[in-house]
Amino acid sequence: MRRFALLVCTLSAAAALAAGEPEFKLSLENHKFTPDRIEVPAGKKVKLLVENKDATPAEFESESLKVEKVIPGKGKATVFVGPLKAGEYKFVDEYNEKTANGTLVAK
Amino acid sequence: MFGTALIVFREVLEAALIVGIVSAATRGIAGRARWIVGGLLAGLVGAALVAAGAGALSQLAEGMGQELFNATILGVAVLMLAWHNIWMSSHGQALAANAKELGGDIRAGARELSVLLVVVAAAVLREGSETVLFLYGVAVSGETSASTMMTGGAVGIAGGVLVGYLLFRGLLRIPLKWFFTATSALVLVLAAGMAAQAARFLIQADMLPSLASPLWDTSAIVSNGSMTGKVLQGLMGYDARPSGMQIAFFVAVLLVIGAGMAWVKRRPPATSP
């Protein structure tokens, strides 16, 4: 799968873009997500890039998205979700659930 | 403090359930307490190391080091539990029949217990490192005093350990006639559940296809965030929205270990391990 993606990449940058999963960025600062509401296409695997700008570690977690990943302080993490059915999916930083929460909307 | 305690409790719970089952399942094997404590200590040291190296770990394998690490730890635990169950299906009857004779079987016991030491260590390592990271975050953020954090952490850990201990005591009340059948069944389901969780991490890392996700959704009945959900997740890898791949892993491990147990049981009882 990965090798295939690489091959496509060398053939044509445009084709590589088409083959890769759409990417979405999220960041955590002062234990809050920006944006705290993010829209992604339904029925497709999606790549989420989460950056933790705080000095303390976070655990990016979503029951409904089936994601659980520790992000070190000042660190970044990549997670793959989906393909998702249309709907709303909540996510949190489990270590700071009260402030750090957001919703992903699949359309 | 309560918030800290609750989060720590949730993290510790899964490991505590595993240790509770393993402690019960090794009933009657000489020297098991030493090995279980050894596993706990090894797991705690490992957890601290993993927490300290979390930054480096997450950079490995194109940012998927953490998923691979979790899947590997779970995979090792599955192998060990499989070995345990298959071994037990040839020795369990003998253990139940004559607990006194066990002293003579120390070599087999030691090998068996070293396997369970790995399971205990793996469980503590995985859940413990997250607890350490969380407590570290609380400590660094300086929002709560060190003593509040320590109290919260201690209450959470104590709560988790208590649940594990209650499970252990509860299992010991099962009549000896049924005891090994019951613990074998628990270990079998535990191993299959761990395999399903390993599959989940590999899907998250995009190393396995999810094969229809979710296959079903029971989150309205028991969500993974609820206490019941957490306990079921610890005991059998319960996932309210499992993917096809998770179910495939669960069933495959169930069948393979089950077949191994049946095969060993059919052979005449082994005189030496």
Side-chain angles (χ1 to χ4, degrees):
Chain A
M1 190 70 188
R2 201 148 281 178
R3 200 167 289 169
F4 173 72
L6 204 70
L7 181 72
V8 174
C9 195
T10 53
L11 286 175
S12 136
L17 267 176
E21 295 86 2
E23 288 185 10
F24 296 89
K25 286 190 175 146
L26 281 170
S27 65
L28 260 173
E29 197 166 12
N30 299 323
H31 309 305
K32 273 181 192 142
F33 282 106
T34 321
D36 61 358
R37 196 174 170 86
I38 189 165
E39 231 174 71
V40 306
K44 227 182 208 181
K45 187 171 273 181
V46 178
K47 191 176 181 178
L48 297 178
L49 300 166
V50 191
E51 185 179 0
N52 179 10
K53 293 181 176 168
D54 292 324
T56 55
E59 187 175 9
F60 184 65
E61 186 166 320
S62 169
E63 231 192 280
S64 48
L65 292 171
K66 300 166 70 66
V67 168
E68 192 184 348
K69 186 155 181 162
V70 172
I71 313 173
K74 304 280 179 200
K76 285 179 190 172
T78 307
V79 289
F80 291 90
V81 299
L84 299 169
K85 284 181 191 153
E88 295 203 346
Y89 300 84
K90 300 238 177 273
F91 55 84
V92 296
D93 159 16
E94 212 205 346
Y95 296 162
N96 294 284
E97 225 172 307
K98 268 183 211 146
T99 53
N101 51 64
T103 310
L104 181 142
V105 186
K107 272 193 177 167
Chain B
M1 191 211 86
F2 185 70
T4 308
L6 191 64
I7 292 181
V8 170
F9 174 71
R10 285 203 313 230
E11 299 282 2
V12 170
L13 185 61
E14 198 171 324
L17 291 174
I18 293 169
V19 176
I21 292 176
V22 165
S23 304
T26 47
R27 172 188 207 171
I29 301 179
R32 67 179 175 154
R34 239 187 11 239
W35 289 87
I36 290 169
V37 171
L40 284 172
L41 291 178
L44 286 173
V45 171
L49 290 176
V50 169
L57 181 64
S58 63
Q59 298 308 314
L60 294 177
E62 294 171 54
M64 293 303 164
Q66 209 180 108
E67 282 84 349
L68 273 184
F69 177 77
N70 278 324
T72 308
I73 295 281
L74 285 163
V76 168
V78 170
L79 286 178
M80 297 294 152
L81 289 174
W83 198 90
H84 162 81
N85 246 17
I86 293 169
W87 184 87
M88 264 301 181
S89 56
S90 66
H91 292 73
Q93 305 298 336
L95 288 181
N98 195 345
K100 286 270 161 66
E101 232 169 71
L102 283 169
D105 209 4
I106 284 171
R107 256 192 65 224
R111 198 192 303 160
E112 161 66 4
L113 287 166
S114 63
V115 161
L116 291 164
L117 177 139
V118 175
V119 174
V120 169
V124 174
L125 174 64
R126 217 165 63 78
E127 305 295 322
S129 61
E130 289 181 10
T131 311
V132 172
L133 278 175
F134 167 68
L135 290 175
Y136 167 76
V138 174
V140 169
S141 71
E143 281 159 26
T144 39
S145 70
S147 64
T148 312
M149 182 202 92
M150 297 282 273
T151 318
V155 169
I157 292 172
V161 170
L162 180 68
V163 173
Y165 180 73
L166 289 176
L167 174 66
F168 168 72
R169 296 297 305 183
L171 288 174
L172 289 189
R173 298 184 75 128
I174 299 173
L176 216 48
K177 196 164 57 163
W178 305 109
F179 184 77
F180 287 101
T181 313
T183 52
S184 288
L186 269 175
V187 169
L188 181 61
V189 174
L190 181 68
M194 283 182 173
Q197 289 194 60
R200 209 203 68 188
F201 280 113
L202 294 174
I203 295 166
Q204 181 177 313
D206 201 24
M207 285 164 183
L208 273 182
S210 60
L211 301 182
S213 178
L215 205 56
W216 63 73
D217 186 347
T218 48
S219 59
I221 308 163
V222 179
S223 87
N224 278 86
S226 68
M227 264 315 149
T228 317
K230 275 276 162 199
V231 170
L232 288 175
Q233 189 185 332
L235 292 178
M236 54 177 287
Y238 174 77
D239 190 327
R241 300 175 179 83
S243 62
M245 188 58 88
Q246 280 172 278
I247 299 300
F249 267 60
F250 187 92
V251 173
V253 166
L254 211 60
L255 290 178
V256 168
I257 300 180
M261 289 165 70
W263 181 70
V264 166
K265 212 177 259 179
R266 266 216 334 250
R267 295 189 316 171
T271 43
S272 66

